[in-house]
Each structure stands twice: as C-alpha cells, then as structure tokens.
Amino acid sequence: MKRRSTTTTPRPTRLSPADLLRLGLLGPRTRRLRSALSALGISLGIAAAVAVTGISSSNQAHLLERLDRLGSNVITVGPGKDADQKKVPLPPEAEKMLANITPVQRVTATGDTTAHVYRSDLVPTELNGSIAVEAARLNLPDVLHARLRSGRWLDTASQHLPVTVLGDQAAGRLGVSAPGRKVWLGGQWYAVIGILEPNELIPDLDTSALVGWPQATAHLGADGTASAVYVQAHPERVDVVQSVAGATANPAHPTDVAVTRPSDLLKARTETRNTMTGLVLTLAAVALLVGGVGIANTMVVGVMERRGEIGLRRALGARSGQVAAQFLIEAVLLGFGGGLAGAAGGALTVYTYAAAQGWPASVPLYTLAAGPLTAVLVATAAGIYPALRAARMPPTTALRAA
C-alpha cells in the first residue's frame, strides 16, 4: 500500500494592505529631505491651481454682489442708427410701450437738451467741460440705484424749477463741492440741490447735470422724447425682455433701436480675468508636470540606491508585484502629501488675498477635492516606470550590484 506524500508546496506570501503601506512609507521616512523636495513640486502646482481658481471665484462673487447691488437686471434702450449711420430717435411713446412688457418692473428715462452748463456766466461757451444737460424722470435713482453723496433728488415741485442735480465728475469739473451753489445753465442761474455718487452701472450720469423733465421741456430745448430708456426687468426674465425691447420701443423700425445691458460691461471684465486665469492654470499644469518629473527622478534614484534591499527581498521570497507595489505606493504617498499641502496652501492664499481686497472668500470645494486627487494621478504616472524597473530587477544582479 502506497503512502501518500505529506509534502505540500508552500503558498506564496501575501502582504496585507497595512504591510504594503509600511513598506511604502519606508522611503519617505529614511530620505525625508529628498522626499519633501519631490513633493514640493507637486505641492506648488496644486497650490497655484487652487489659489487661481479660488481668487477667480472670489472675484466673481464680488462682481456678482456688485451687480446685484447696482442692478444687473437693467436694460438700456436708446436711439440706433439707420443704413446711413444717422441716429434714429425713439418714438415719444417708447417709454409707455416698454412699461407694458409683462416682466418689466419699472421704467425711467433721460432726455437730451440743447443747453450747456458752466461754472459762471463769465466762462467762454466753448469751455463746457463735456458736461451734458439731461432731463430726468423722478424715479431715476430708484431704477438705476443712484445714490446721493449730498443733498436731495428732484421731486414733484422742484422738477418745474431752475434746479439741478450734478453727477460726481460734473460737480468736480464745475467746482461744486456741496449743494447750495449755483451754476450757469441754459443762460440762467440754476441752484445745485444734490450731488450723486459715482455710478458704475451708468457712467454717463457721472458727467451729467440733471434737471426736471418739465423744466427741460419748457426752457432748455428738450423735445420731450427720451434719449435713453432704462428698463428694470424681473431678474429671471432679463434676456426675454432684452430680445423684445427693440421691437416694442419702435415697432416700425425695430432694427434702428440700440438695446444694451450695462452690466454686460462688467461681465466682459470678468471674461478678461478668466482669460488670465486660464493662462495661470496652464502655468500650474506645467508646475504639476515638473513636480511629476521630480517624483519620477527621485524614485529612479531611490531604486538605484536600494538595489541591495530589492535583491535581499527578492531572495527572501518577495514577488516582483510586491516590489512594484512598494515603490508605486511610495510615489502615491509623495503625491498625496504634496497635494494636501498644496490644497491647504492655495486655500490659505485665497482667504488672505480676499481679506486684503475686501472680497467674500470663495474656494470651490471641487478644487480642494480635485487637488490631492490630481496630485495622486500625476504621482502614480510618474512612479510606474521606477516601480516596474525595481520589479524586473533580478535578485542576483541586485545583490551583486549592492
């Protein structure tokens, strides 16, 4: 009767995830300075990406806050030009027709006059300081979020009197620092009853002298038609109102109406900043690439220096996959550490810069999550070749070269 052999083939060793993690930490622990410098490249790239994204987001939040405060739902409807490039005035009923659009909340207007304004009656007529004299509706400050620096706005009584409210720059050019002064306007003295603060939404107000609509029509050559109609629409329906404003204001010649959204100027500035953001993010990507190359270089040098360790582990039974995993985990840990440090540094930069500018700090959560993840991906790609090189190294060759 044959005896069964009791000899069994030894099972290959398997390392637990905790063991692999300890092996992966071996390199960074023993070569701290080199590992820190390698992770620094990744950290700088992630910090730059987070900082640029966060600063751009904070700036956008600041601009949106300003737009809401200024009136981002205001549309300007004015005279356009015909085929001969001649200005086509708005019809007299344009204001009322625009006010009948359902999503429109309020409408106000200004009208041109033939008058000029001077500091005194002794100033030559050609030196008018480029100050326009405009007729204004009583609700203009409410619609355009215009604020008075001093004095008061026109009311039901004063709109019939020789009084004016000056824009910020107009007051400076006329040498008027406070209400109570008089200016020479339209061939007679007008009392200044108010001075406006600078208006970013409608900059033309800053260089205007505003008078009541009845006074302008009776004494300053205004024809009663609006030179600019300002339409305040429901915030969610601004685009709809903008699309029909031209045909509503002048149904006979809708293409001869200029319809603009003043806040688009501020949005154009945001798009310009976004262009610069793209450039800086490109530089951040280059920094990430350089950081990845640094990690790859560190790992390759580490493999060359640790050939004895690799050969001894292989001789004791470590499989090539375990050796590759050790060096790959080491690279991933370097990238992850650099990514975390970069995300923290970028967020700190955003909060510091936003506080200095007086902006609301805004760091998108996706950038904080994507920073370490991107760093890990870059580090993984950088560590594949050194890990494979270590895994393919024959034990005898590694021990002989140690």
Side-chain angles (χ1 to χ4, degrees):
M1 186 176 182
K2 294 183 179 181
R3 296 178 60 186
R4 292 184 180 180
S5 175
T6 58
T7 305
T8 58
T9 305
R11 293 182 179 180
T13 57
R14 294 182 180 276
L15 294 177
S16 66
D19 293 331
L20 285 175
L21 182 60
R22 280 194 293 268
L23 285 174
L25 287 171
L26 183 63
R29 283 204 310 263
T30 55
R31 297 167 175 81
R32 295 180 180 178
L33 180 59
R34 182 183 298 173
S35 299
L37 292 176
S38 298
L40 181 62
I42 291 285
S43 178
L44 290 176
I46 295 298
V50 172
V52 169
T53 306
I55 290 174
S56 176
S57 179
S58 300
N59 185 25
Q60 184 178 12
H62 173 64
L63 286 177
L64 289 175
E65 184 179 290
R66 284 172 56 201
L67 284 173
D68 291 338
R69 186 171 65 250
L70 293 173
S72 58
N73 58 335
V74 173
I75 297 169
T76 301
V77 180
K81 293 182 179 180
D82 59 16
D84 298 327
Q85 297 302 305
K86 293 182 179 179
K87 185 177 289 188
V88 180
L90 293 174
E93 62 275 6
E95 285 182 74
K96 293 182 179 179
M97 295 178 69
L98 288 168
N100 290 329
I101 302 176
T102 303
V104 170
Q105 297 173 331
R106 291 182 293 187
V107 172
T108 191
T110 57
D112 291 337
T113 70
T114 58
H116 298 284
V117 59
Y118 305 93
R119 184 176 301 186
S120 75
D121 56 347
L122 301 178
V123 177
T125 56
E126 64 271 11
L127 301 179
N128 54 33
S130 300
I131 301 173
V133 178
E134 299 281 337
R137 297 295 187 190
L138 297 182
N139 64 341
L140 185 140
D142 297 329
V143 177
L144 300 184
H145 298 264
R147 298 181 180 181
L148 286 163
R149 190 176 73 196
S150 58
R152 59 187 177 87
W153 180 249
L154 300 165
D155 55 30
T156 306
S158 61
Q159 68 173 338
H160 297 274
L161 302 176
V163 296
T164 181
V165 175
L166 300 179
D168 177 71
Q169 295 183 31
R173 294 174 187 176
L174 292 172
V176 178
S177 57
R181 294 280 304 276
K182 290 187 177 182
V183 292
W184 187 252
L185 193 155
Q188 61 177 314
W189 291 105
Y190 272 64
V192 177
I193 62 172
I195 299 175
L196 295 173
E197 289 185 353
N199 191 295
E200 293 182 82
L201 189 67
I202 310 294
D204 289 344
L205 292 181
D206 296 343
T207 56
S208 299
L210 303 168
V211 298
W213 202 279
Q215 176 72 12
T217 304
H219 303 285
L220 301 178
D223 59 6
T225 61
S227 60
V229 180
Y230 302 103
V231 180
Q232 187 182 67
H234 188 280
E236 302 297 329
R237 306 295 299 277
V238 174
D239 293 334
V240 175
V241 175
Q242 189 171 1
S243 64
V244 301
T248 304
N250 192 347
H253 303 283
T255 58
D256 295 337
V257 179
V259 181
T260 59
R261 190 176 175 184
S263 57
D264 287 340
L265 299 176
L266 297 178
K267 291 184 178 181
R269 288 161 57 184
T270 305
E271 292 174 0
T272 302
R273 289 188 175 92
N274 288 340
T275 303
M276 295 302 298
T277 299
L279 175 62
V280 180
L281 286 177
T282 301
L283 297 178
V286 173
L288 277 175
L289 178 61
V290 172
V293 172
I295 288 181
N297 179 63
T298 298
M299 297 305 299
V300 170
V301 173
V303 168
M304 299 301 296
E305 291 180 345
R306 297 160 67 182
R307 284 177 295 185
E309 174 193 337
I310 295 171
L312 182 59
R313 289 195 60 218
R314 291 298 306 279
L316 292 176
R319 292 176 296 171
S320 59
Q322 294 172 345
V323 175
Q326 172 188 348
F327 284 91
L328 190 59
I329 290 175
E330 185 175 326
V332 169
L333 289 175
L334 288 177
F336 184 67
L340 287 179
L348 180 61
T349 301
V350 172
Y351 279 92
T352 302
Y353 186 82
Q357 295 292 327
W359 298 348
S362 175
V363 181
L365 293 179
Y366 70 86
T367 59
L368 295 178
L373 178 61
T374 303
V376 167
L377 293 176
V378 172
T380 301
I384 288 177
Y385 170 72
L388 292 178
R389 182 171 180 173
R392 293 172 182 173
M393 190 176 295
T396 54
T397 304
L399 289 171
R400 190 165 48 245

